[in-house]
Amino acid sequence: MYKTILLILMVFFTCSFTGQAQEKSINQIQQLIETYKKDPGGPYHRIKWFCKDGTEREPKDPCPDNIGGGIQHASFKTSALDLRRTNHLFFGEILADANKSDFLNKNENYSRLKQYQLGKYLASVDDGWVLRKAQFYRGALQSEDEEAWGKDFFEWLLKDEQFIYANYYFIRQALKDIPHNGDDNIAQLMRSQSKTISEDMSKFMDIRIKIHGQPEITDINPVKDFIVENKIPTDLKDDFDDLIETMRKYYAPIDFVILEKEMQRLPASNTTTKKFKPLLKIIK
């Protein structure tokens, strides 16, 4: 089934791309995907700092404040960058450094955003897909940067009410796939707790990296499984319980009090705001 989905994905997005570079064949792309699956770095090359002024720095040489600082994440292998140029295929997308308009990719029927969504799906059903091993690559993605980017992206996108009317279901699905909750205290606590546990139990490191870089509600089960499958020291049992409780809070349903505060940032004339505020009063 996964190969069928993959074939459809590659044919659809490659055929819809209007670029001039020499395209890679389906067989070449399939071989590349298999290579990424087996590679601890997947499509990623190495960790670097990406500075606001456009320069790049080594992992232990952060971007200075006087140039605006920067963010740290993985760079891409040449093969992954070539695939973007030749076939308009974006494997292992890192949102934090993406241009919002380029990612929306309106002129190519929103191809890049849709690929991100399909990549998320394939990762969920095929053990990480191209990130099969790279999902445990420490530092490749920083969840707080991905969340911050997602929040900025939707604030930028949802200013256009005509776009919302024309693409409501597309936006609704994008909201499910693109992280955008922001880096709140609970998220920070979750990362801190998992880090503390991994320092005392090195076997927990892969789960900790996953929680830190690509957090999902499904991460709760691996933590529970780890507790069952390993002998947990007495002094760490409470730490594991606390981590699971924090994760449950982090992935809890919408807090409508917080939602109401967020809605106050929207223009009062916004049609959605006008319709939703009366409903919010009923819910509360």
Side-chain angles (χ1 to χ4, degrees):
M1 181 183 72
Y2 307 142
K3 289 185 177 179
T4 302
I5 294 172
L6 175 59
L7 182 61
I8 293 171
L9 181 153
M10 290 190 294
V11 170
F12 176 78
F13 288 117
T14 300
C15 290
S16 65
F17 178 47
T18 57
Q20 300 298 316
Q22 181 63 45
E23 294 181 356
K24 297 187 185 302
S25 69
I26 297 297
N27 286 337
Q28 287 176 311
I29 297 171
Q30 287 178 322
Q31 290 173 8
L32 192 58
I33 288 170
E34 292 305 315
T35 299
Y36 287 159
K37 286 181 177 181
K38 299 172 185 176
D39 190 323
Y44 306 134
H45 178 43
R46 56 197 292 255
I47 307 300
K48 300 184 76 174
W49 280 98
F50 296 83
C51 306
K52 291 286 187 180
D53 66 352
T55 59
E56 299 178 8
R57 290 174 172 250
E58 295 302 309
K60 295 184 179 180
D61 183 24
C63 306
D65 292 337
N66 63 3
I67 63 171
I71 56 177
Q72 189 181 58
H73 57 75
S75 59
F76 286 91
K77 287 183 170 66
T78 300
S79 58
L81 295 174
D82 285 345
L83 198 59
R84 294 182 173 200
R85 180 175 55 84
T86 60
N87 295 68
H88 199 62
L89 291 175
F90 296 78
F91 292 164
E93 182 81 78
I94 296 175
L95 298 175
D97 216 18
N99 176 279
K100 296 182 185 68
S101 181
D102 290 345
F103 178 75
L104 182 62
N105 204 192
K106 186 175 181 179
N107 291 338
E108 298 289 345
N109 195 28
Y110 311 108
S111 169
R112 187 168 172 180
L113 196 162
K114 291 176 181 177
Q115 288 182 56
Y116 179 83
Q117 294 174 294
L118 285 169
K120 284 275 191 177
Y121 168 73
L122 288 170
S124 70
V125 298
D126 191 22
D127 191 20
W129 193 46
V130 293
L131 302 180
R132 181 164 296 171
K133 292 184 179 294
Q135 61 185 315
F136 306 117
Y137 183 14
R138 186 175 182 180
L141 288 88
Q142 304 291 340
S143 62
E144 59 270 35
D145 292 333
E146 298 290 286
E147 294 268 0
W149 186 94
K151 191 171 184 179
D152 287 344
F153 175 74
F154 285 116
E155 287 180 355
W156 166 77
L157 184 65
L158 299 180
K159 289 178 181 178
D160 185 345
E161 291 198 18
Q162 288 188 337
F163 183 84
I164 297 173
Y165 292 141
N167 300 277
Y168 174 75
Y169 290 104
F170 176 48
I171 295 170
R172 182 178 177 182
Q173 187 59 48
L175 283 162
K176 293 180 180 179
D177 296 321
I178 297 173
H180 61 280
N181 289 331
D183 190 36
D184 59 17
N185 292 335
I186 298 178
Q188 293 172 16
L189 178 61
M190 182 171 69
R191 292 198 301 273
S192 176
Q193 289 172 330
S194 63
K195 178 178 181 292
T196 299
I197 291 173
S198 68
E199 289 172 347
D200 290 324
M201 290 193 73
S202 58
K203 290 173 66 176
F204 191 73
M205 181 59 74
D206 281 353
I207 298 176
R208 178 247 163 157
I209 292 171
K210 176 65 171 61
I211 290 172
H212 187 103
Q214 303 176 67
E216 298 173 302
I217 190 172
T218 52
D219 294 335
I220 295 175
N221 287 332
V223 176
K224 290 181 176 179
D225 292 342
F226 185 90
I227 295 171
V228 173
E229 296 167 3
N230 294 271
K231 186 176 181 179
I232 307 300
T234 303
D235 60 341
L236 286 182
K237 288 182 178 179
D238 287 345
D239 292 344
F240 275 98
D241 290 341
D242 290 343
L243 174 60
I244 291 174
E245 181 60 26
T246 300
M247 294 176 78
R248 285 174 175 158
K249 288 180 180 178
Y250 183 71
Y251 295 111
I254 294 173
D255 185 324
F256 287 101
V257 174
I258 295 175
L259 177 60
E260 185 176 28
K261 290 180 180 179
E262 290 291 329
M263 287 189 65
Q264 290 175 2
R265 299 172 59 187
L266 296 174
S269 59
N270 184 285
T271 304
T272 303
T273 305
K274 289 179 179 179
K275 291 181 178 179
F276 197 77
K277 279 189 174 180
L279 177 62
L280 197 58
K281 290 180 180 179
I282 296 173
I283 294 173
K284 289 175 64 182

